[in-house]
Amino acid sequence: MDKPKTTPVIHERPKMPRATWEALRNHIIKERRRKQEEEGKAEEYERQKKERENKKMLEATSLGETKEQISKLEEKLTNLKEEKHQLFLTLKKVLNEDETRRRKETSEMNILYPQHGTPVFPLSGHVAQNNPQLAAMYLQ
């Protein structure tokens, strides 16, 4: 069931005047440029939009990292304060023990070697001869 071939119909148009032809050509060129500019503007807008999105993402990432660093540093600061507190308590304890030991040694020394209110006299013949007041005090 083949269709019979028909011959194409050719319509003759009258020739377009040169001025109309130039006007149509200029119109088509202007429309193409306008479309290219619109496409360029749309592409530029999309590029800028992607840049803004990337920048926001980087800032968000940077902000998150900064918050994380701050929390880590705050934790470290807390740990260092606690360590300082413990070291201070240890220092107080050591100083207190040292003071207690000194008092104990002093009291033991006073028990072993009591110091009476009596002056200690130099051995005979060793009186300070060039200081008569001192010699008089020892010789009394």
Side-chain angles (χ1 to χ4, degrees):
M1 298 223 187
D2 288 330
K3 287 187 179 180
K5 286 190 174 184
T6 58
T7 60
V9 179
I10 298 176
H11 294 282
E12 294 268 339
R13 283 189 294 166
K15 286 248 181 186
M16 200 180 298
R18 183 82 177 159
T20 308
W21 177 257
E22 287 294 323
L24 179 62
R25 180 177 177 272
N26 287 337
H27 174 74
I28 291 171
I29 290 173
K30 283 181 185 177
E31 283 296 311
R32 286 180 183 168
R33 283 186 190 150
R34 185 183 61 80
K35 284 182 181 178
Q36 282 180 341
E37 287 176 3
E38 286 177 0
E39 288 174 1
K41 286 179 183 178
E43 288 174 3
E44 180 66 20
Y45 175 78
E46 288 298 318
R47 187 187 63 76
Q48 288 178 351
K49 185 177 176 182
K50 286 182 180 179
E51 280 182 11
R52 285 192 299 268
E53 288 173 359
N54 288 338
K55 190 174 182 181
K56 281 183 181 180
M57 188 184 299
L58 286 174
E59 286 176 356
T61 303
S62 177
L63 182 61
E65 289 174 357
T66 304
K67 285 181 179 180
E68 187 177 319
Q69 287 176 346
I70 288 173
S71 66
K72 285 181 181 178
L73 290 173
E74 285 177 343
E75 183 178 333
K76 185 175 180 181
L77 178 63
T78 304
N79 291 339
L80 289 173
K81 282 183 178 180
E82 181 63 30
E83 183 181 354
K84 174 187 156 192
H85 180 69
Q86 292 300 323
L87 289 172
F88 184 73
L89 289 177
T90 304
L91 176 64
K92 279 178 63 175
K93 183 178 176 183
V94 167
L95 290 175
N96 189 27
E97 288 173 357
D98 189 45
E99 182 64 27
T100 305
R101 183 185 52 79
R102 282 190 193 148
R103 285 184 186 158
K104 184 178 176 184
E105 287 177 357
T106 304
S107 69
E108 287 175 356
M109 290 297 286
N110 286 339
I111 291 171
L112 291 175
Y113 304 105
Q115 293 186 358
H116 301 291
T118 60
V120 176
F121 296 110
L123 298 174
S124 59
H126 292 171
V127 178
Q129 295 179 3
N130 57 354
N131 191 344
Q133 289 177 340
L134 191 59
M137 184 176 89
Y138 285 121
L139 294 174
Q140 290 179 353

